[in-house]
Amino acid sequence: MKPTPAEYPFLFINHGTPDVESVGKCEEVFLWFRAPVGAAERRRIQAAVPSALQRFWHWDREFCYFGSEGDSYEFAILMDFSPEPARAALRAADPARDPKGWHRAYRAATARFDEAVAAFAADLERWLLEVHALSPIAAFWGPHGTPDDDPWHQWSVAAFSDVMADRLARYAPERGGRESLDWIRDRCAHLLTAAPAAGADDAVAVAALDAACRRGRPKQYVPRMSYDEGEVLRHGELVAAFVGDGADWRARLERLAPLTQLTLLASYDVDHARLLRAYPALPERARALVEALAPDERRAALPLLVMLAQTVTRDTPAFDRRRRRSGELAAQILRAGFDQPGCRGATFARASRYLRWGGRAREARALAEEGLFRYGERRTLVRAALKAARAMGDEKAARKYEARLTALTPTAS
């Protein structure tokens, strides 16, 4: 008998039947228990899990992280939960001896895939209730693609912070469990970081945002259209949702750790026009945040400043046209990172380019020369100085830079 809204036994995020279009090749979920789970209980829980989620496991004292094997999630649901007689026909078919017969059985099963997904969801819920009777569950994070308006899911979302915030913040994993715990924390971050109602305590959201941005901080240059960029942008989106656009947005922003604020500045979700009204000297603001970073966070400073400078000038694949008039501002932002770990000739060359975009060709050439003095002959810096000299109309200097560029071997860049 299914529980009523007044007696849900545990948090069940993504409760319900997934939409068939959301069922793909892989799925990862986790269970968090109210107390440590013993070895015998672990074996019983793992042995009875629905087949589509039984292929890899990581156990820790109070949680287990598990899911499908490789690219088998969709196929396992099809094979093990299709209605009869489609399931029997698919199991009996031999793709090696009778490929046409196997394809007929496969098409017949896929035509009823919605029934297979519903049967899988029902079996998963049955198993969870049995697990809960064996080892009480605090929260289960289920397969994605379920309806947002499901009552059990909505109740779980509303109660998630109260039940899980302290558990996730304080839990110390066993050896080898850090990666799985970080995956769980990142998966749950948006449920802990949403801005609370006016007047409500936002300490949990602030702590969760700071922790998420610290975990996901970049430690080297972030290529655009990369996984690392996606991490920064995802965390920036969480920060933006917390800060909001109300009258108290600045107060909310300044409650966050310096690294968290820099993460927002580096993202696409920041309103730079509003930010510049509040902080007219944005480069000085960025510098102050960098100087306030913890020692082990300093490697994140330059990658985040570069992303901020790129966004200010729209110098990324996300924009159709660059905003060259903001080049001087972007160069000033980058200067805040010249003394930070990871700074190199390419950083000075980028800042020189932005100065040239901003109509400051003489300063662009001087900055390129500063980089050459600091890092020695580098093609990227000589090229930056050459372009600046040409923008100045100084052909004599341009010819000298051309000669220096020719003299450099490709490996010296």
Side-chain angles (χ1 to χ4, degrees):
M1 183 176 180
K2 292 186 177 182
T4 66
E7 56 186 21
Y8 290 129
F10 50 83
L11 302 182
F12 193 153
I13 302 295
N14 300 329
H15 173 264
T17 300
D19 182 271
V20 294
E21 298 298 327
S22 72
V23 179
K25 294 183 177 182
C26 301
E27 186 58 87
E28 300 171 6
V29 298
F30 74 84
L31 266 170
W32 200 288
F33 298 90
R34 298 179 187 176
V37 181
E41 288 78 11
R42 292 182 186 187
R43 288 192 293 270
R44 291 177 60 185
I45 290 168
Q46 189 168 332
V49 69
S51 58
L53 297 173
Q54 68 180 186
R55 299 304 180 190
F56 78 86
W57 287 75
H58 171 80
W59 276 99
D60 215 282
R61 293 185 309 280
E62 295 181 17
F63 74 82
C64 55
Y65 160 58
F66 57 104
S68 61
E69 178 184 27
D71 294 337
S72 69
Y73 178 58
E74 180 180 17
F75 190 70
I77 292 176
L78 189 73
M79 286 290 293
D80 296 341
F81 294 97
S82 293
E84 297 290 3
R87 178 171 52 189
L90 187 59
R91 288 181 174 277
D94 188 337
R97 294 184 177 182
D98 184 9
K100 290 184 178 180
W102 186 88
H103 280 291
R104 284 195 300 271
Y106 179 78
R107 286 196 299 271
T110 55
R112 303 180 67 180
F113 190 54
D114 57 339
E115 297 176 62
V117 173
F120 163 69
D123 192 50
L124 179 62
E125 184 171 330
R126 173 203 57 77
W127 172 75
L128 285 167
L129 293 173
E130 291 178 356
V131 170
H132 183 63
L134 180 66
S135 296
I137 297 170
F140 175 65
W141 192 282
H144 74 289
T146 55
D148 290 337
D149 60 354
D150 177 86
W152 195 345
H153 167 78
Q154 290 185 328
W155 173 83
S156 301
V157 167
F160 193 86
S161 182
D162 292 339
V163 175
M164 292 299 299
D166 192 62
R167 284 184 166 96
L168 290 171
R170 298 180 182 278
Y171 190 83
E174 296 177 335
R175 185 176 180 179
R178 172 62 59 185
E179 184 177 353
S180 296
L181 180 59
D182 284 348
W183 179 89
I184 290 171
R185 285 170 168 162
D186 286 341
R187 181 65 65 94
C188 300
H190 69 285
L191 298 182
L192 302 174
T193 59
D201 184 13
D202 59 5
V204 168
V206 169
L209 281 170
D210 289 344
C213 290
R214 181 174 165 80
R215 284 195 306 274
R217 67 191 185 276
K219 298 179 177 63
Q220 58 187 4
Y221 171 74
V222 177
R224 292 294 179 170
M225 310 294 287
S226 67
Y227 173 82
D228 290 338
E229 181 202 30
E231 282 290 281
V232 175
L233 296 182
R234 183 169 64 83
H235 290 132
E237 184 178 0
L238 292 176
V239 179
F242 171 81
V243 170
D245 56 6
D248 63 342
W249 72 267
R250 181 172 175 174
R252 284 188 181 277
L253 177 62
E254 293 182 348
R255 288 212 51 203
L256 302 170
L259 179 63
T260 310
Q261 295 185 50
L262 275 175
T263 301
L264 175 64
L265 297 186
S267 74
Y268 290 141
D269 288 277
V270 64
D271 182 343
H272 285 111
R274 182 179 69 174
L275 197 70
L276 286 168
R277 289 194 296 272
Y279 307 109
L282 182 57
E284 284 74 12
R285 175 68 178 173
R287 183 180 297 277
L289 292 172
V290 167
E291 291 174 353
L293 294 176
D296 64 345
E297 296 172 344
R298 286 298 178 96
R299 292 197 67 84
L302 187 62
L304 293 174
L305 290 172
V306 169
M307 292 183 73
L308 170 57
Q310 289 175 320
T311 304
V312 164
T313 53
R314 297 188 175 180
D315 184 24
T316 81
F319 301 102
D320 294 331
R321 178 176 294 182
R322 292 166 175 163
R323 185 184 284 161
R324 292 175 179 262
R325 67 180 183 273
S326 298
E328 184 179 1
L329 175 62
Q332 292 172 358
I333 289 167
L334 286 180
R335 276 193 176 277
F338 282 176
D339 295 326
Q340 297 305 311
C343 187
R344 53 196 177 96
T347 310
F348 277 74
R350 181 185 293 276
S352 174
R353 172 158 58 96
Y354 289 153
L355 281 172
R356 181 164 47 82
W357 284 5
R360 300 284 187 169
R362 188 176 299 277
E363 295 174 30
R365 179 182 170 187
L367 191 59
E369 285 287 359
E370 183 182 342
L372 286 164
F373 177 79
R374 183 168 175 173
Y375 296 101
E377 292 287 280
R378 296 290 189 272
R379 290 179 65 86
T380 184
L381 287 165
V382 175
R383 190 179 297 112
L386 168 61
K387 291 182 178 181
R390 286 175 175 167
M392 293 169 57
D394 189 341
E395 289 303 321
K396 182 178 179 180
R399 286 193 294 272
K400 291 182 179 180
Y401 287 125
E402 285 178 342
R404 289 168 68 177
L405 196 60
T406 302
L408 288 171
T409 61
T411 57
S413 59

